[in-house]
């Protein structure tokens, strides 16, 4: 049951590791139960789903955007989310900045790293991350607070390890640069089948869906 899943995950997570419940396809009722059971951060992939959940639940949890953010959805996303984990271009950062300005809001963001170097996937390549972060650091309301990666999906969770290692190395290198208006505070990596490995490799934020809510029907 969901409540037992949450209790067992929360009791096993090492101190300092933040849990994001990845809630795509889940109803506001399911999300509400998760929050009652101790979840504090909800991760959403789709702005439309997030709008419905947010309308029903509001700020009883914090909301992280973890999907691919289309430029035409930024306007709807910015008022809802407390963090956007998937910034991978200056253009997207600038659009977030513009909407933040209108609302007088600041937005913590993570830069998504395409650690698997998969051409069709979102995220910036590891070697391009520093340049992007330096550009984003000039924005006033967008604050880079770390990195996020998905890594390629394999059947065997062990195969994800090198991608987490590479992202952690990048995180450590970037921390040392002391870029203004930039923190390397959160390293978001690992999902249901890989989060233990991600934590071993330095993740301090994990995004877990299936192991909390059960199998998804679609998406
Ligand atoms: C769906 C999703 C997750 C969680 O996946 P599970 O395998 O269900 O734990 C984590 N991160 C992102 C970006 C996702 O889209």
């Amino acid at each position: 049951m969901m409540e037992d899943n949450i209790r067992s995950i929360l009791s096993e997570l090492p101190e300092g590791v933040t849990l994001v419940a990845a809630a795509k396809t889940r109803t506001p009722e399911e999300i509400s139960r998760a929050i009652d059971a101790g979840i504090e951060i909800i991760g959403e992939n789709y702005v439309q789903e997030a709008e419905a959940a947010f309308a029903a639940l509001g700020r009883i949890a914090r909301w992280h955007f973890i999907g691919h953010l289309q430029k035409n959805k930024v306007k709807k996303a910015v008022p809802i989310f407390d963090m956007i984990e998937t910034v991978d271009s200056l253009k997207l950062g600038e659009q977030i900045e513009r909407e933040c300005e209108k609302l007088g809001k600041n937005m913590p963001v993570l830069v998504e790293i395409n650690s698997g170097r998969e051409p069709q996937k979102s995220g910036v390549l590891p070697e391009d991350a520093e340049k992007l972060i330096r550009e984003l650091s000039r924005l006033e309301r967008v604050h880079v607070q770390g990195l996020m990666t998905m890594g390629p999906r394999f059947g065997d969770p062990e195969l994800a390890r090198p991608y987490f290692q590479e992202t952690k190395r990048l995180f450590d290198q970037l921390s040392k640069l002391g870029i203004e208006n930039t923190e390397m505070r959160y390293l978001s990596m690992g999902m249901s089948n890989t989060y233990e490995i991600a934590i071993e490799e330095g993740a301090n934020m994990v995004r877990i869906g299936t192991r909390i809510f059960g199998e998804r029907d679609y998406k």
Side-chain angles (χ1 to χ4, degrees):
M1 221 175 109
M2 185 205 299
E3 283 77 5
D4 300 318
N5 296 342
I6 292 170
R7 216 165 296 130
S8 101
I9 293 167
L10 285 175
S11 71
E12 287 163 17
L13 284 184
E15 222 178 286
V17 176
T18 299
L19 174 60
V20 176
K24 59 179 172 279
T25 79
R26 313 301 174 175
T27 63
E29 291 70 27
E30 288 172 287
I31 296 171
S32 169
R33 273 177 54 203
I35 294 166
D36 286 342
I39 291 296
E40 296 177 351
I41 305 178
I42 303 295
E44 290 282 359
N45 288 68
Y46 304 102
V47 173
Q48 208 169 334
E49 270 186 26
E51 280 186 304
F54 183 74
L57 304 170
R59 304 226 166 264
I60 60 173
R62 277 178 288 146
W63 300 85
H64 282 202
F65 190 78
I66 62 173
H68 175 64
L69 186 52
Q70 291 167 300
K71 308 244 163 50
N72 62 0
K73 296 284 167 60
V74 172
K75 191 180 166 70
K76 289 186 163 173
V78 166
I80 296 174
F81 289 100
D82 300 292
M83 177 181 275
I84 295 173
E85 295 199 17
T86 49
V87 173
D88 62 358
S89 73
L90 177 60
K91 253 215 165 73
L92 181 56
E94 285 173 341
Q95 245 150 352
I96 295 169
E97 171 89 0
R98 205 167 314 138
E99 295 306 320
C100 280
E101 230 155 61
K102 291 185 198 161
L103 298 173
K105 176 172 178 164
N106 289 311
M107 185 65 78
V109 304
L110 305 183
V111 168
E112 182 176 359
I113 306 298
N114 182 356
S115 59
R117 299 166 184 280
E118 297 165 290
Q120 73 286 17
K121 288 283 175 71
S122 45
V124 62
L125 290 173
E127 59 271 29
D128 298 332
E130 180 184 338
K131 177 169 180 279
L132 173 61
I133 290 171
R134 287 191 186 280
E135 290 167 345
L136 292 170
S137 75
R138 297 189 198 109
L139 300 176
E140 282 180 18
R141 295 184 174 274
V142 169
H143 304 292
V144 174
Q145 295 196 338
L147 305 181
M148 178 273 206
T149 199
M150 295 275 284
R153 294 250 211 170
F154 299 109
D156 178 0
E158 259 311 312
L159 297 174
R161 192 183 291 276
Y163 302 94
F164 296 153
Q165 287 171 335
E166 179 173 10
T167 309
K168 173 65 158 78
R169 268 199 301 277
L170 181 61
F171 181 84
D172 289 341
Q173 283 167 12
L174 291 165
S175 323
K176 288 186 198 133
L177 299 178
I179 301 171
E180 59 161 333
N181 181 31
T182 300
E183 285 176 277
M184 283 296 129
R185 181 159 156 205
Y186 297 110
L187 182 55
S188 174
M189 43 188 207
M191 325 201 319
S192 288
N193 59 351
T194 55
Y195 74 91
E196 282 131 327
I197 290 169
I199 291 168
E200 285 170 11
E201 299 304 337
N204 59 15
M205 185 174 276
V206 293
R207 309 175 310 270
I208 302 182
T210 315
R211 260 214 64 195
I212 290 175
F213 295 103
E215 291 297 327
R216 277 184 296 275
D217 293 340
Y218 61 99
K219 289 181 185 170

